[in-house]
Amino acid sequence: MTPLVLALVAGAVIGLALGALGGGGSVLAVPALIYLLGFTPSAATTAGLIIVTATSATALYAHARDGNLAWRTGALFAAAGIAPAYLTGAGAARLPEPVLTAAFAAIAALAALRMLRPSPAALPAWIRPAKAAGAGAGLGTVTGLLGVGGGFLAVPALVNVLGLRMRQAVGTSLLVITVNSLAALIARTGTGGDLRWEVIAPFTGAAILGAWDGKRLAAKLSGDTVQKIFAGVLLTVAGFMLLDVIA
């Protein structure tokens, strides 16, 4: 297939992941850009942030319109993650690529295993600001360091740490992804290598369209089904990346 067709197909899949699962987009985008489209790791990381920021903002609007968004919790998460995402994003280029890849795979696998645990059946009576801010800062650190939106960690944190229902956690995570990805992208300005916009633009367009379909897909599935799909995606990606490091 031509690079344009590959970009369109990969973008549609990433959009579906973000729209339906509230995360996993950049986890899939970066490997797709490297292994399918020939980007360097540095360029793929920056391009992935561009794609995920635009797609997350689009999916966020759809979820917010339907009320699947806990604004206060999302705002605390996002605000706490801005500075860590920026600082670690600026310093990530100094770390060896195998170390970043292994850390990425390990965190994705841990998040997947946590998603398989039963989630609280109802929202807590109140949100503890300190707990939300602490989780958000940790998430921002991972976003900046690994160059990902962080939804694959935001959803488990929102479900298991703060007790949001799965569907509401999906919508709220998109707010966190958008803000953290934008902060990390600003920190990486000028360090992303050769960005091929003829690939990034159609990739992003297909991802945005896919996000709308993903949101509709999420409405037809139960919260437990979405969790299992999310965990399966993360475990698959983590296994692939670990094999890549070993090889």
Side-chain angles (χ1 to χ4, degrees):
M1 287 190 287
T2 65
L4 176 59
V5 173
L6 286 172
L8 291 172
V9 172
V13 172
I14 277 104
L16 281 170
L18 276 168
L21 306 175
S26 52
V27 180
L28 301 174
V30 172
L33 289 165
I34 294 173
Y35 299 114
L36 295 180
L37 295 165
F39 277 59
T40 65
S42 176
T45 297
T46 304
L49 285 171
I50 293 170
I51 293 163
V52 172
T53 300
T55 309
S56 298
T58 302
L60 172 63
Y61 169 76
H63 281 272
R65 184 186 58 187
D66 290 348
N68 295 326
L69 189 61
W71 285 103
R72 182 183 178 190
T73 304
L76 285 170
F77 255 70
I82 291 174
Y86 184 90
L87 293 173
T88 55
R94 299 186 178 92
L95 294 177
E97 183 180 329
V99 173
L100 290 176
T101 303
F104 186 100
I107 289 174
L110 289 174
L113 294 174
R114 188 164 191 170
M115 284 301 297
L116 293 174
R117 293 168 50 187
S119 59
L123 286 168
W126 64 86
I127 299 298
R128 295 180 181 178
K131 181 178 286 190
L139 185 65
T141 299
V142 172
T143 297
L145 184 65
L146 302 180
V148 299
F152 67 103
L153 294 177
V155 173
L158 291 167
V159 171
N160 294 299
V161 176
L162 298 178
L164 269 65
R165 293 183 295 271
M166 183 62 187
R167 196 159 290 154
Q168 192 173 31
V170 167
T172 304
S173 74
L174 289 166
L175 173 61
V176 182
I177 293 170
T178 301
V179 174
N180 283 352
S181 296
L182 185 59
L185 184 59
I186 292 171
R188 289 166 179 262
T189 300
T191 64
D194 182 22
L195 296 179
R196 291 155 50 196
W197 288 102
E198 72 278 8
V199 173
I200 296 174
F203 198 122
T204 304
I208 289 173
L209 292 175
W212 286 95
D213 290 332
K215 193 267 175 187
R216 288 193 290 268
L217 177 63
K220 298 177 181 179
L221 300 175
S222 68
D224 288 341
T225 300
V226 174
Q227 275 186 282
K228 290 176 182 177
I229 293 173
F230 196 6
V233 170
L234 292 183
L235 285 174
T236 300
V237 172
F240 177 82
M241 297 186 77
L242 283 175
L243 287 174
D244 186 51
V245 172
I246 294 172

